[in-house]
C-alpha cells in the first residue's frame, strides 16, 4: 500500500467552525452574545450534523447551507438569542469566511511538496466550500474540492466516499482520509480508506463497526504519517 491521495473533511478539520461565533463575540456591542457564544457554537455544530444524518436517513436531502441555517436557528433559540435578526445575519455571513486552523497551510504544503494529491470531501455545498477555501487562501494547495451535492446525500453514505475514486482513479487503500469527526473517520475506515481522526477535544473513540486507523490532536504530523505508511 502506498498513499497517493490525502483527502480532508472541511468543517472542523481544515476550517474552524467555532471561528464565526468567537469572532462575533469579541465585537463591541455583543456583550450578551459573548456570554453564550461557546454554547451557541457547540449547539450549532451538533445540530448541523444531526440534521444531515436525519435528512440522509429519511431521504429529505437539502444543501448544507439550509442545514447550517436550521442548526443556527435551533442554537440561537436555546441560548435565548433568537430575537436578534442582526446577530443571525452576522453569524451566517461570517460562516462563509471561516479561518483555517493555523497548521493547515504548512501541512498541505508539505503534502504537495512530497508529491501527494490533496482534496476536500465535504457535506458542504460547492459555493460554501469555495468561500471557505478562498478565505483561507489554500486553493492552490488542493487538487479537488468534492461536495456531497454531486450525489445528493450526506456522509456517511458510501456514495460520498465513492467520489474520491471517481476523481482520482485510485484504489481505496491508496487514500488517507482525515476528519475531525470520529464517526466520519470510522465510516471511511469501514469503506476501505486509511483514516486519521483529528481528535482536537480528546474525546473517546465512537463505538461503531470500524475504528479510525490513526488518531492525532491536530494536523501537523500528517505529512510524517503519510511518509511512514
Amino acid at each position: 500500500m502506498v498513499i497517493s491521495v490525502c483527502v480532508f473533511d472541511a468543517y472542523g478539520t481544515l476550517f474552524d467552525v467555532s471561528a464565526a461565533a468567537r469572532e462575533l463575540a469579541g465585537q463591541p456591542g455583543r456583550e450578551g452574545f459573548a456570554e453564550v457564544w461557546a454554547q451557541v457554537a457547540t449547539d450549532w455544530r451538533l445540530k448541523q450534523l444531526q440534521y444531515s444524518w436525519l435528512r440522509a436517513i429519511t431521504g429529505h436531502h437539502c444543501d448544507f447551507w439550509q442545514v447550517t441555517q436550521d442548526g443556527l436557528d435551533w442554537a440561537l433559540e436555546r441560548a435565548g438569542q433568537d430575537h436578534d435578526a442582526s446577530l443571525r445575519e452576522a453569524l451566517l455571513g461570517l460562516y462563509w469566511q471561516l479561518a483555517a486552523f493555523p497548521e493547515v497551510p504548512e501541512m498541505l504544503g508539505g503534502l504537495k511538496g512530497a508529491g501527494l494529491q490533496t482534496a476536500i470531501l465535504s457535506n458542504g455545498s460547492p459555493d460554501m466550500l469555495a468561500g471557505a477555501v478562498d478565505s483561507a487562501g489554500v486553493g492552490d494547495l488542493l487538487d479537488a474540492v468534492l461536495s456531497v451535492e454531486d450525489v445528493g446525500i450526506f456522509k456517511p453514505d458510501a456514495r460520498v466516499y465513492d467520489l474520491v475514486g471517481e476523481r482520482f482513479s485510485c484504489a481505496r487503500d491508496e487514500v488517507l482520509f482525515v476528519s475531525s469527526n470520529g464517526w466520519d473517520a470510522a465510516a471511511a475506515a469501514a469503506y476501505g480508506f486509511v483514516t486519521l481522526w483529528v481528535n482536537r477535544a480528546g474525546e473517546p473513540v465512537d463505538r461503531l463497526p470500524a475504528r479510525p486507523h490513526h488518531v492525532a490532536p491536530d494536523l501537523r504530523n500528517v505529512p510524517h504519517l503519510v511518509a511512514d505508511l
Side-chain angles (χ1 to χ4, degrees):
M1 178 197 69
V2 177
I3 299 298
S4 62
V5 183
C6 293
V7 179
F8 298 85
D9 174 58
Y11 298 110
T13 303
L14 296 180
F15 308 120
D16 183 358
V17 291
S18 297
R22 184 172 56 246
E23 180 178 340
L24 198 64
Q27 294 182 2
R30 295 292 184 184
E31 290 76 15
F33 180 65
E35 297 178 1
V36 297
W37 80 264
Q39 174 191 320
V40 169
T42 298
D43 288 343
W44 188 3
R45 179 58 175 164
L46 178 61
K47 284 299 174 180
Q48 263 187 332
L49 295 174
Q50 289 178 343
Y51 291 161
S52 70
W53 299 330
L54 290 168
R55 285 183 173 275
I57 291 168
T58 60
H60 291 92
H61 185 72
C62 65
D63 71 24
F64 199 59
W65 185 236
Q66 183 62 55
V67 171
T68 298
Q69 293 178 82
D70 292 342
L72 176 60
D73 289 341
W74 190 96
L76 289 175
E77 182 175 350
R78 185 185 183 209
Q81 300 289 312
D82 53 316
H83 61 282
D84 189 343
S86 68
L87 173 63
R88 179 183 189 273
E89 182 179 357
L91 286 168
L92 290 173
L94 288 170
Y95 206 86
W96 290 78
Q97 305 170 41
L98 293 178
F101 287 103
E103 72 270 22
V104 167
E106 183 176 354
M107 179 273 299
L108 289 176
L111 293 173
K112 295 302 297 176
L116 279 296
Q117 297 185 92
T118 59
I120 284 174
L121 177 65
S122 174
N123 279 341
S125 59
D127 52 352
M128 289 179 69
L129 292 171
V133 168
D134 289 346
S135 179
V138 295
D140 60 340
L141 299 174
L142 295 165
D143 295 293
V145 179
L146 307 175
S147 167
V148 301
E149 289 307 302
D150 287 339
V151 289
I153 192 167
F154 292 117
K155 296 178 189 176
D157 191 279
R159 286 169 287 182
V160 176
Y161 303 118
D162 285 341
L163 292 170
V164 176
E166 293 170 3
R167 170 61 177 80
F168 291 101
S169 300
C170 57
R172 296 182 184 187
D173 62 1
E174 294 178 58
V175 176
L176 175 68
F177 180 79
V178 183
S179 180
S180 63
N181 299 303
W183 56 270
D184 191 15
Y191 178 80
F193 291 159
V194 181
T195 61
L196 169 64
W197 176 30
V198 184
N199 185 9
R200 296 182 185 275
E203 297 178 346
V205 176
D206 284 316
R207 273 55 172 178
L208 292 169
R211 298 167 69 94
H213 297 98
H214 306 277
V215 181
D218 55 46
L219 295 164
R220 285 178 293 178
N221 289 325
V222 173
H224 299 291
L225 173 63
V226 174
D228 290 341
L229 289 175

